[in-house]
Amino acid sequence: MPLKTHSYSNKDLTVTWKPDQCIHSTICWKNLSSVFNPKIRPWINMEAEESAKIREQVLKCPSGALSILETNENNAMQNIDEQKEKVVIDVTVNGPIMIATECMIKHGDGTEEIRTGKTFLCRCGASSKKPYCDGSHKKIDFKG
Ligand code: SF4
Ligand code: FES
């Protein structure tokens, strides 16, 4: 059964909200309470801030309960998530996981590293440069 969806519009964009998907993280109403206020109805006021600000906040919704509908090049309404380029993560045969685009790796010690180009993550467990692949999967004849 499709999830119930509520829509809220101003002249530029339409924000949709799926209550069953909302995890009540409070992120939207703590950060932009002029627009998102669960104490009043309708709880989303599309006239309270500039569209750019609303858009920016919607994109931070961790659950995907909030999303944006915009008009695409064919004049059809499309969810902005469907227009975003998808990140390609390639599980290579008998080898590492390849991330094909720029990404940020958050290490276990809390440090963060921006990686450009392709990143190869070890999947076999034998690399001495974990989390990255150093080619050891070939030496151990990793299958998987
Ligand atoms: S940010 Fe998304 S998940 Fe969090 S309360 Fe708002 S709608 Fe719900
Ligand atoms: S996948 Fe390449 S070293 Fe582990």
Side-chain angles (χ1 to χ4, degrees):
M1 199 169 61
L3 290 178
K4 195 164 43 162
T5 304
H6 299 283
S7 300
Y8 309 83
S9 302
N10 65 14
K11 63 179 177 31
D12 305 314
L13 50 91
T14 295
V15 169
T16 61
W17 179 60
K18 295 191 179 79
D20 297 329
Q21 210 169 314
C22 177
I23 56 171
H24 307 289
S25 68
T26 73
I27 287 172
C28 55
W29 52 271
K30 281 201 175 140
N31 289 332
L32 202 61
S33 57
S34 50
V35 174
F36 303 96
N37 186 343
K39 292 196 180 127
I40 56 174
R41 292 291 175 270
W43 83 282
I44 298 178
N45 177 1
M46 295 293 289
E47 305 303 329
E49 290 287 350
E50 293 167 6
S51 295
K53 229 170 164 181
I54 298 174
R55 192 175 191 280
E56 196 185 323
Q57 188 59 52
V58 166
L59 295 178
K60 289 180 185 156
C61 171
S63 68
L66 290 172
S67 53
I68 292 174
L69 288 178
E70 278 183 346
T71 310
N72 69 11
E73 63 274 13
N74 301 320
N75 242 3
M77 290 293 265
Q78 191 178 15
N79 190 311
I80 198 167
D81 284 340
E82 291 159 11
Q83 298 169 41
K84 271 196 263 170
E85 230 174 86
K86 300 281 183 280
V87 175
V88 177
I89 296 180
D90 190 356
V91 181
T92 65
V93 179
N94 303 333
I97 290 172
M98 182 186 80
I99 303 170
T101 51
E102 182 178 311
C103 63
M104 185 175 73
I105 303 288
K106 283 189 173 185
H107 294 281
D109 63 2
T111 56
E112 297 176 348
E113 187 187 352
I114 301 289
R115 307 273 304 180
T116 52
K118 291 179 180 168
T119 295
F120 295 89
L121 297 175
C122 175
R123 201 158 68 86
C124 72
S127 174
S128 56
K129 289 188 188 157
K130 287 195 215 61
Y132 306 113
C133 168
D134 68 354
S136 297
H137 58 273
K138 285 193 191 125
K139 282 189 217 142
I140 65 164
D141 198 21
F142 173 66
K143 300 279 182 240

